[in-house]
Structure formats: structure tokens, C-alpha cells
Amino acid sequence: GRGLMGVLNTGLLVSAFIRRASVEGGMAMLIKRGDEMAGALLVVGMEKGVIAGVYEQIMTSPGGYEWAKVGPQTIENTQEIDDYLARRKDRDPDLWILELDIPDPARFIAGTGSTG
């Protein structure tokens, strides 16, 4: 998907996530750098090193986006998550992948960079 970030390009959105995670006492690690302007962003949300879900911005209405869980929902199976991320990387060379380890990742992700 192109242009999913509304006014924020993906590079700026990733920077915003990293900055906010550090302010809130979490950790952010860029797993894969994608296209600065147009790359889609997958956020791997973790809490104390345990995967809570993989999130991506999806279009909810014309011009509106929200973060939604994507990929395998059996998050205990980290191999499934790894396979999903690998498949997405293969299909989309512009893709960004950011890992966030922060309390309540779903709430944190929902509050960062929403344009809708």
C-alpha cells in the first residue's frame, strides 16, 4: 500500500514511535528500514520481551486510518510471526519493521501517528 501515512511520511512516523517509546520508558528497535516516503510500516508490539501482536495502519474510510492487528493471531508461536514478517519483507522491499517493547503496546501504538 502506498501513501498510507497521510501527512506523515514513514521515516518521520518511525522516528515519532522511537522517541515516544523512549520517553515512556520502553524500547524501540528498527528491524528493517524501508522506503522513507511510501513504505508501509509493521509494528511488532511486545511487552517484557513477549510479542503482543503485529500492527499495521489500515484504511477505515477515505482518508481515515487506524492501527489493526495483522498476521498470525497465535502470538505464542513466535515462529509463525517470524515467517509472516519474512513473507511480508519478501513481497514488499519498501516495508519498514519496527519492534517496540513497551507496557500495553496496543494502547501505545493506537496513540502514535493516527491520521484518522
Side-chain angles (χ1 to χ4, degrees):
R2 296 291 152 248
L4 283 191
M5 297 308 154
V7 291
L8 270 188
N9 71 42
T10 313
L12 288 174
L13 183 61
V14 167
S15 298
F17 265 119
I18 293 171
R19 220 174 18 255
R20 234 186 103 211
S22 135
V23 165
E24 294 196 19
M27 289 188 325
M29 189 166 69
L30 190 57
I31 305 296
K32 181 183 181 300
R33 177 179 288 280
D35 182 89
E36 196 69 31
M37 298 305 289
L41 171 62
L42 289 179
V43 179
V44 181
M46 305 178 81
E47 197 162 2
K48 297 187 174 82
V50 178
I51 294 176
V54 179
Y55 300 85
E56 183 173 17
Q57 274 192 327
I58 56 164
M59 185 182 270
T60 54
S61 60
Y65 296 91
E66 70 180 32
W67 289 96
K69 252 187 185 181
V70 295
Q73 297 304 309
T74 50
I75 49 183
E76 297 74 35
N77 187 343
T78 54
Q79 187 57 55
E80 264 185 49
I81 301 270
D82 291 345
D83 292 348
Y84 173 75
L85 295 175
R87 280 196 309 274
R88 291 290 306 265
K89 275 195 288 203
D90 289 346
R91 279 207 310 264
D92 183 359
D94 296 337
L95 181 71
W96 294 70
I97 300 176
L98 180 67
E99 200 171 85
L100 287 177
D101 195 325
I102 190 135
D104 196 357
R107 176 200 56 80
F108 177 86
I109 291 165
T112 304
S114 296
T115 57

